Amino acid sequence: MANVKGAPKGARTPWQVTRSVWYAMFMREALSRTMADRMGWFWMIFEPVAFIGIMVAIRSFIRGGRLVVNAEFIPWLIAGLMGFMLVREGMLRGMGAIEGNSSLFAYRQVQPVDPVIVRVFLEGALRSLVFLIFIGGGLMLGLDMYPDNAVRVMGAWLSLWSLGLGLGLFTSVAATLVPEIGKVIRMFSLPLMILSGVIIPLNSLPHWLLKYLMLNPIPHGLEVLRLGFFENYQVVHGTSMLYFWLFTLTTITLGLLMHLRFVDRLKAK
């Protein structure tokens, strides 16, 4: 059979080259993420456990109760925290991917966008495993962690994963070209957790403030994720996955365009 477009026999297609690059980078990142630091797995699990314990203690001290309307507080908090961490870590780890893999750009097959995609995918896979551990551990402790609608939970989880990818693509370019932007983003990550309704139910806030907070796409994904666990849960007014996906797709497109536009400057960094 004749070679397509006169390509030499045995030549790989661009997709095959890209897939090989992604696989090699994934294995490199996975070994670095899980094996280089012996405490890596411990911190991935201990951080949310410690945070949940502190939040439960604070809420019990201030409010005296631990329940959200139509949902148990601890599972509600776990779902929101794990969903937020999926987005946050996708954004932050994607932001450092270019600088961390700059030596690989000597190979023409490797583009600056490749380590960002690989890191966000790896981080999402690890966070998914940790989330499953939390669900299993919660069930063994008697918590209501069994989802009422598993399909909705998986859809919301993948949606938040996609948002983390879009933010990672955008911030990776912005923070590499202007390092000060990276510092500001890291400083803003904690307030963003509060503004996303991870700790405090946004339904308890006044409407005039809520309409501004819901411009943030993260609460939309978190509320749908929680709804998947509690079918009678009352989501925040204005929750819309259409808005969420419009924002996510816009961010992914903008991030890819920025990578295409500034590819030479990113490699030079």
Side-chain angles (χ1 to χ4, degrees), residues 101-264:
N101 293 273
S102 58
S103 60
L104 298 178
F105 300 149
Y107 302 95
R108 61 182 180 84
Q109 296 92 341
V110 181
Q111 300 298 321
V113 70
D114 294 329
V116 179
I117 294 175
V118 169
R119 272 201 180 184
V120 174
F121 178 81
L122 173 62
E123 191 62 33
L126 294 175
R127 290 291 165 184
S128 299
L129 179 59
V130 172
F131 194 23
L132 290 175
I133 292 174
F134 268 80
I135 292 175
L139 290 173
M140 287 189 291
L141 292 174
L143 298 176
D144 185 16
M145 288 297 300
Y146 192 83
D148 293 333
N149 190 328
V151 174
R152 177 175 285 151
V153 169
M154 288 188 289
W157 186 258
L158 292 174
S159 299
L160 292 165
W161 196 343
S162 300
L163 177 60
L165 172 62
L167 294 174
L169 288 169
F170 175 81
T171 57
S172 62
V173 178
T176 301
L177 298 180
V178 186
E180 289 76 13
I181 293 179
K183 297 177 181 179
V184 173
I185 292 174
R186 288 187 175 89
M187 290 172 56
F188 190 63
S189 62
L190 180 58
L192 184 62
M193 178 186 294
I194 300 173
L195 298 176
S196 297
V198 175
I199 304 171
I200 303 173
L202 296 182
N203 274 325
S204 62
L205 301 177
H207 177 72
W208 67 267
L209 178 60
L210 184 60
K211 66 180 181 179
Y212 294 109
L213 294 180
M214 292 304 286
L215 294 176
N216 173 12
I218 300 178
H220 297 262
L222 296 185
E223 289 297 291
V224 174
L225 179 65
R226 286 161 168 162
L227 182 62
F229 279 95
F230 312 103
E231 60 181 355
N232 295 321
Y233 174 64
Q234 184 178 357
V235 300
V236 176
H237 178 72
T239 298
S240 170
M241 289 306 288
L242 175 61
Y243 172 79
F244 178 94
W245 271 106
L246 287 175
F247 187 97
T248 299
L249 293 175
T250 300
T251 307
I252 292 175
T253 302
L254 179 60
L256 291 174
L257 289 174
M258 291 175 66
H259 271 273
L260 186 63
R261 171 64 178 83
F262 298 108
V263 60
D264 293 331

